[in-house]
Amino acid sequence: SYELTQPPSVSVSPRQTASITCSAENLGQKYVSWYHQKPGQSPVLVIYQDAKRPSGIPERFAGSNSGNTATLTISGTQAMDEGDYYCQAWDGPTSAVFGGGTKLTVL
Amino acid sequence: EVQLVESGGDLVQPGRSLRLSCTTSGFTFGDYSMNWVRQAPGKGLEWVGFIRGEAYGGTPEYAASVKGRFSISRDDSKNIAYLQMNGLKIDDTAVYYCTRLIGASGTPYFDYWGQGALVTVSS
C-alpha cells in the first residue's frame, strides 16, 4: 500500500518560516492536499492540488510538490498556526491516503 | 453556508452494529461525493471510504481495513449520507468525520468537514 511519511514534529519561532514535508515514491506525480487540525477541532483544508489555497486561507500558506516530496510552507508563522498538519494523496482513483501527521509548535 | 453534521455516535459492544448519519445543508447534495474519515484517540487521520454522487453511479469505495464490515449509502431526497458499521471491533473506536469530496478523478480533496461523531467500542 502507498504510504505518506511526515516528520512527527516541527518547531518554528514566531514570524519565521515553517516547512513541513510529506514523502512517498513518485509523490510528485500525484496531487497532494494539506489539512490543519487544532486540538479538539475538525481538520481544515489549507492546500489542495499541491499549491492551491481555498478561500479564506491566508497567503502565508503555500504548497509545492516535486519528485518524492511535497512541502507545506508557512511564512510569517503565527501562534494560531499551531496544531497538527496532515498531507493526503490518492493511491489510485479509489483509495485515499493520509500522512501520519506533523505537530507544529510555534515557540 | 455548507454544513455537515454527524450523528449516531455511541458506546457499543464488540461485534455489534451502529449507523452514523451525516446531515448536510447549504449545497446541492446530489452533485457531490460524500466521504468518511476517522481518527482514533490520540492518533492520525484514516480514510474510511466514500460514495459517489448519483451522476457517477452512486457507488461506494472502502479502505481495506473496513471493507466487508462497513457500508456507505446516501439518501439524496434527505441530503444525508450514512455509514453503517457492522461487526465492530475495539480498534474501530474513533471520531468519525463526514466530509464533502470535491474534484475530478485523481484530483479530489475534502473541502468541508463535519464536527465528528465519537464511536466507542468496548465491552
Side-chain angles (χ1 to χ4, degrees):
Chain A
S1 61
Y2 199 69
E3 294 187 4
L4 302 177
T5 300
Q6 298 181 236
S9 63
V10 168
S11 298
V12 63
S13 300
R15 298 178 299 282
Q16 298 305 303
T17 297
S19 295
I20 300 173
T21 59
C22 175
S23 300
E25 185 174 2
N26 296 322
L27 184 58
Q29 298 179 13
K30 303 178 184 293
Y31 277 112
V32 174
S33 300
W34 290 91
Y35 303 86
H36 176 207
Q37 185 179 35
K38 297 181 181 181
Q41 297 186 17
S42 302
V44 172
L45 176 71
V46 294
I47 292 289
Y48 67 98
Q49 294 177 1
D50 292 343
K52 297 179 180 179
R53 278 180 296 105
S55 173
I57 299 301
E59 292 183 4
R60 63 179 183 272
F61 287 86
S64 63
N65 184 17
S66 179
N68 296 324
T69 303
T71 303
L72 174 68
T73 302
I74 309 172
S75 305
T77 307
Q78 302 181 10
M80 67 174 64
D81 299 331
E82 280 197 332
D84 296 323
Y85 288 83
Y86 296 90
C87 60
Q88 179 264 317
W90 288 84
D91 181 15
T94 61
S95 180
V97 181
F98 286 95
T102 298
K103 181 178 181 61
L104 178 67
T105 302
V106 182
L107 299 172
Chain B
E1 179 190 8
V2 172
Q3 290 193 330
L4 309 174
V5 179
E6 300 91 338
S7 60
D10 204 349
L11 169 65
V12 296
Q13 295 179 327
R16 308 288 291 209
S17 298
L18 192 68
R19 188 180 80 165
L20 302 182
S21 299
C22 173
T23 302
T24 74
S25 61
F27 65 100
T28 304
F29 182 75
D31 288 348
Y32 291 87
S33 299
M34 298 301 297
N35 181 82
W36 292 89
V37 174
R38 69 182 180 181
Q39 185 171 36
K43 302 298 184 181
L45 302 176
E46 180 187 12
W47 175 71
V48 173
F50 72 88
I51 186 166
R52 297 175 177 86
E54 284 302 320
Y56 297 94
T59 52
E61 302 288 348
Y62 302 99
S65 58
V66 305
K67 197 169 187 177
R69 298 188 300 123
F70 290 12
S71 64
I72 300 172
S73 61
R74 59 190 296 153
D75 186 336
D76 287 8
S77 69
K78 296 181 178 179
N79 298 336
I80 299 176
Y82 300 99
L83 177 63
Q84 176 69 42
M85 302 180 288
N86 299 328
L88 281 161
K89 306 175 181 179
I90 292 177
D91 286 351
D92 294 321
T93 295
V95 173
Y96 285 75
Y97 294 101
C98 170
T99 85
R100 193 175 77 168
L101 184 59
I102 189 170
S105 176
T107 65
Y109 51 95
F110 313 121
D111 63 342
Y112 286 94
W113 296 60
Q115 86 288 350
L118 176 62
V119 174
T120 303
V121 184
S122 175
S123 55

